[in-house]
Amino acid sequence: MPNFDEIMQMAQNAQAELQKAQDNLDKVEVEGASGGGLVKVRATAKGRILGIELDDSLLQPSEKAMLEDLITAALNDARAKADAVTNAEMQKMSSALPLPPGFKLPF
């Protein structure tokens, strides 16, 4: 069984790996879409919105409510994809750590 200093070192290594993974998530891009691709949102896996692309056919005043709904749906789609990437990266990182049996990380 590892001694206290070894456990502390493992915890520090885990924290450093977690921070590295979090930093990398801001470099991963995902794209959410709605309305069959009429509205697209690009975001990082951390949820930072990089851009929105609207099809020209949506730029009519009578379509304002629909456009707002499509943008909301595209943002939610991008966020869901970002969450999926985040979970996959965190699981990949935690599976590589030499943690004691039964020890769970808070993610």
Side-chain angles (χ1 to χ4, degrees), residues 31-42 51-59 63 66-75 77-78:
E31 181 178 89
S34 66
L38 294 174
V39 175
K40 296 178 184 173
V41 174
R42 285 183 312 110
I52 296 174
E53 182 182 325
L54 306 175
D55 188 274
D56 288 341
S57 68
L58 296 173
L59 303 176
E63 303 296 329
M66 182 181 72
L67 180 58
E68 291 169 346
D69 289 343
L70 289 170
I71 290 172
T72 300
L75 285 168
D77 186 40

Side-chain angles (χ1 to χ4, degrees), residues 6-105:
E6 290 171 334
I7 292 172
M8 289 303 294
Q9 184 62 40
M10 286 191 315
Q12 288 174 344
N13 289 344
Q15 186 175 12
E17 287 295 316
L18 179 59
Q19 184 60 48
K20 185 173 148 186
Q22 289 287 331
D23 292 344
N24 286 337
L25 290 175
D26 202 42
K27 297 173 186 158
V28 175
E29 287 188 26
V30 295
E31 181 178 89
S34 66
L38 294 174
V39 175
K40 296 178 184 173
V41 174
R42 285 183 312 110
T44 67
K46 285 186 85 170
R48 185 170 52 94
I49 303 303
L50 300 173
I52 296 174
E53 182 182 325
L54 306 175
D55 188 274
D56 288 341
S57 68
L58 296 173
L59 303 176
Q60 300 171 15
S62 63
E63 303 296 329
K64 182 179 184 290
M66 182 181 72
L67 180 58
E68 291 169 346
D69 289 343
L70 289 170
I71 290 172
T72 300
L75 285 168
N76 287 329
D77 186 40
R79 184 69 231 172
K81 289 176 180 175
D83 288 344
V85 170
T86 298
N87 290 336
E89 289 295 315
M90 291 298 109
Q91 284 197 347
K92 196 172 18 171
M93 190 264 323
S94 66
S95 68
L97 295 174
L99 299 174
F103 186 83
K104 295 190 186 260
L105 294 173

